[in-house]
Amino acid sequence: MNIGVDLGGTKIKAGVELNGSVIKQETTLLREKDSLSSTLQQLIDLIRPLMAYSASSIGIGVPSVVDTEKGIVYDVANIPSWKKVELKDILQEEFNVPVFVNNDVNCFALGESRFGVAKGFRSIVGVTTGTGLGSGIVIDDELYAGSNCGAGEIGLLPYLDKNIEYYASNNFFEAVHGITALEANQAAVAGDMHAIGLWEKFGIHLGVALKAVMYTYDPEAIVLGGSLAKAYPFFEAGMYQELNDFSFPQSLKRLKIFQSTDENIALLGAAALIPQELKKYALKD
């Protein structure tokens, strides 16, 4: 059994993974985010009871750039005190088991590939849209993070007067249209035509992001996650409208696009870091 941890900007989830299922889970809201010692202690206190399940390793996904070899995280999103944290060493010293650290969206993609809606596909890209826009890449059934854990940052590509992320995330609603995505979703569910139109426009912008994914990685499948993916029925038409002029129509016909269905998939993906990383070390030896 392995422990997977999904560290977010507002809460931490940790669970014991066995055969692709979470058999025990703990969750806590982050407090005192300006204090490194306090937030680290929260993380440790959350993991500790799970170690009673004789877990052999810990995998953790973090919303930041990660030195995956050393397990150092830098400038973690929405946690001001986490500028440079040697997370792997801290947790290994605390729990005396191997610890593996990666970006949270990479964990999302790996989880979908191993346990989720994209299980059985050898090349997938997981795209999460919420506060920002991120993507994780699995090629030939292995996570590809790039040399600096920065692969897949399609949201930062220039687009219109900003970048893709600005128009394919919460910013589209809050900064451009002065409404939260939650409010837009509630209005669309109630039949408000203006809100429905906003989601269609959002889908067009997200379609631009997915075309960038297809031109760059040509995956078999794309999995959409994050808070905005829950409104998939409202932006699906706009998304496919934008995708329809993709230059390689046969590739588009073969592509599968899924909506994520498991709220614990990033946690499971973090647990799946463990056998992948151990396999690397075995090859090195």
Side-chain angles (χ1 to χ4, degrees):
M1 287 182 284
N2 302 312
I3 291 175
V5 182
D6 182 14
L7 174 66
T10 58
K11 68 180 179 179
I12 317 170
K13 293 197 297 184
V16 179
E17 179 269 329
L18 178 64
N19 299 325
S21 296
V22 178
I23 63 170
K24 176 63 175 177
Q25 182 174 323
E26 302 284 348
T27 305
T28 187
L29 292 175
L30 271 173
R31 303 181 302 275
E32 300 176 4
K33 292 194 287 183
D34 290 328
S35 169
L36 176 59
S37 61
S38 175
T39 47
L40 281 173
Q41 192 61 52
Q42 276 192 269
L43 175 61
I44 289 168
D45 290 344
L46 192 72
I47 295 171
R48 192 178 305 284
L50 301 178
M51 294 301 294
Y53 288 78
S54 300
S56 57
S57 302
I58 299 168
I60 179 166
V62 183
S64 70
V65 173
V66 181
D67 181 332
T68 55
E69 291 291 325
K70 296 180 180 179
I72 302 173
V73 300
Y74 298 92
D75 300 313
V76 176
N78 297 313
I79 308 180
S81 58
W82 286 44
K83 298 298 183 184
K84 178 183 177 182
V85 182
E86 297 181 359
L87 191 57
K88 177 175 181 171
D89 287 348
I90 291 168
L91 294 181
Q92 284 186 166
E93 182 176 349
E94 185 70 33
F95 296 111
N96 198 32
V97 296
V99 174
F100 306 96
V101 187
N102 213 302
N103 174 267
D104 61 338
V105 184
N106 288 344
C107 291
F108 167 77
L110 188 61
E112 292 291 0
S113 174
R114 298 288 170 82
F115 309 114
V117 293
K119 185 177 180 180
F121 293 91
R122 292 192 60 81
S123 63
I124 79 146
V125 175
V127 176
T128 61
T129 175
T131 303
L133 180 75
S135 62
I137 304 120
V138 174
I139 299 174
D140 289 334
D141 206 33
E142 294 290 342
L143 182 65
Y144 177 74
S147 59
N148 299 292
C149 200
E153 292 293 345
I154 56 168
L156 301 183
L157 292 172
Y159 175 58
L160 300 178
D161 59 329
K162 302 287 185 180
N163 57 26
I164 294 176
E165 180 176 78
Y166 188 83
Y167 290 96
S169 69
N170 275 326
N171 282 319
F172 171 75
F173 295 96
E174 295 183 8
V176 179
H177 294 285
I179 185 174
T180 68
L182 177 60
E183 290 168 338
N185 187 52
Q186 291 172 338
V189 169
D192 184 281
M193 295 308 297
H194 175 68
I196 291 171
L198 287 182
W199 281 109
E200 290 177 352
K201 291 177 182 177
F202 170 81
I204 290 171
H205 297 311
L206 185 61
V208 171
L210 300 193
K211 283 198 292 189
V213 166
M214 293 170 68
Y215 283 126
T216 307
Y217 302 107
D218 190 23
E220 296 174 271
I222 295 174
V223 185
L224 301 177
S227 59
L228 271 63
K230 296 174 183 177
Y232 184 75
F234 294 117
F235 65 73
E236 179 183 13
M239 180 187 75
Y240 275 106
Q241 176 186 328
E242 179 63 29
L243 288 174
N244 279 337
D245 68 353
F246 186 69
S247 297
F248 309 119
Q250 291 304 313
S251 297
L252 183 60
K253 286 181 181 178
R254 289 192 291 267
L255 176 72
K256 304 296 183 183
I257 298 178
F258 301 108
Q259 180 186 10
S260 181
T261 59
D262 190 338
E263 292 187 355
N264 288 325
I265 203 66
L267 187 156
L268 289 169
L273 289 171
I274 297 158
Q276 174 163 299
E277 291 294 337
L278 289 176
K279 181 179 177 182
K280 283 184 188 178
Y281 290 125
L283 290 173
K284 287 180 181 178
D285 292 341

